[in-house]
Amino acid sequence: MGIQIAPSILSSDFANLEAEIARLGDADLVHVDVMDNHFVPNLTLGLPVVEAILARTDRLIDCHLMIDEPDRWAPGYAEAGAHNVTFHAEAAAAPVRLARELRKHGARAGVGLRPATPVEPWADLLPEIDMLLVMTVEPGFGGQPFLDVCLPKIRRARELVSASGLDIWIQVDGGVSAETIERCADAGADVFVAGSAVYGAEDAAAAVTELRELAAKAAH
Ligand code: DX5
Ligand code: ZN
């Protein structure tokens, strides 16, 4: 698939989501952060808002569910038409069953890993999923500094995916910017979430282009 840039609307103007999504230039995905004030200490939006977004844009929606009980709630996002639905490894009770359900509804199934969650236990389960999300901050808020300590895990995730021969995306999320994206691409990430680096820029579309160029140069 190659390099993909997924701006996060967490850093956009929530009162003008349609316009904020329209100004993302050639972004590949739109990353939507769902937070429930339980799995993370923040509260954002849920399925009704995702449904409203899906009704107003043809862009591919990448839902990042930072919620408890994803086994119960995640399938609704797939049914609604999200392109990708990522649940967290730490929150899922039956990840294989959940991933199968997401795929059954036509979505790609993603598994998110907090900084302290190892990737190795997922090695045998890779055939069940379409994306590994390696968090490069503690999930919950935009604008946090990038955690370099997560880079070795990105490398190990890439090694596992390469060894599997499967087409599984490796996404990074948190503190990804023009400063840090090359390190992520060099380590093997191929899907890059960026919130403040895109919406904090004067020209969001230009920021997407710049991030893509930097990642492409550093990728192997
Ligand atoms: C944080 C979210 C991120 C957030 C990233 O928990 O999952 O998607 O929007 O924001 P930045 O790019 O500003 O770190
Ligand atoms: Zn996210």
Side-chain angles (χ1 to χ4, degrees):
M1 186 71 200
I3 303 293
Q4 298 189 76
I5 307 295
S8 165
I9 59 167
L10 185 61
S11 299
S12 76
D13 177 359
F14 270 22
N16 291 295
L17 284 178
E18 188 175 4
E20 291 288 74
I21 288 170
R23 70 186 183 97
L24 290 174
D26 67 351
D28 302 276
L29 301 159
V30 177
H31 184 85
V32 178
D33 290 300
V34 175
M35 305 187 192
D36 68 351
N37 189 32
H38 290 274
F39 182 73
V40 288
N42 198 1
L43 183 68
T44 54
L45 49 84
L47 185 55
V49 175
V50 170
E51 286 173 335
I53 291 170
L54 285 161
R56 297 289 185 94
T57 182
D58 292 331
R59 289 188 187 271
L60 303 178
I61 301 301
D62 170 35
C63 287
H64 177 194
L65 305 182
M66 285 160 277
I67 61 172
D68 281 345
E69 291 194 77
D71 303 71
R72 178 174 174 190
W73 301 112
Y77 293 83
E79 273 179 81
H83 184 65
N84 184 84
V85 178
T86 298
F87 59 86
H88 263 267
E90 308 84 3
V96 172
R97 185 164 65 217
L98 178 54
R100 289 186 178 184
E101 206 173 338
L102 296 174
R103 284 174 156 183
K104 189 181 79 195
H105 291 303
R108 296 176 59 90
V111 172
L113 307 172
R114 299 181 79 132
T117 304
V119 67
E120 284 74 14
W122 294 86
D124 290 340
L125 302 184
L126 292 181
E128 303 287 342
I129 65 172
D130 302 290
M131 187 171 87
L132 279 169
L133 160 55
V134 179
M135 290 299 302
T136 41
V137 297
E138 286 293 352
F141 301 94
Q144 302 181 78
F146 181 81
L147 295 175
D148 277 282
V149 288
C150 298
L151 287 168
K153 182 159 61 178
I154 300 171
R155 276 183 210 286
R156 293 196 301 275
R158 175 50 68 195
E159 283 163 16
L160 290 174
V161 167
S162 297
S164 77
L166 297 162
D167 178 26
I168 296 172
W169 301 348
I170 298 179
Q171 183 176 64
V172 282
D173 181 10
V176 176
S177 68
E179 285 285 297
T180 58
I181 195 166
E182 291 160 294
R183 278 174 257 167
C184 299
D186 177 63
D190 55 5
V191 185
F192 304 87
V193 176
S196 43
V198 170
Y199 282 108
E202 221 162 279
D203 182 340
V208 169
T209 303
E210 186 195 7
L211 289 172
R212 189 191 302 287
E213 285 170 2
L214 289 169
K217 260 189 267 165
H220 301 283

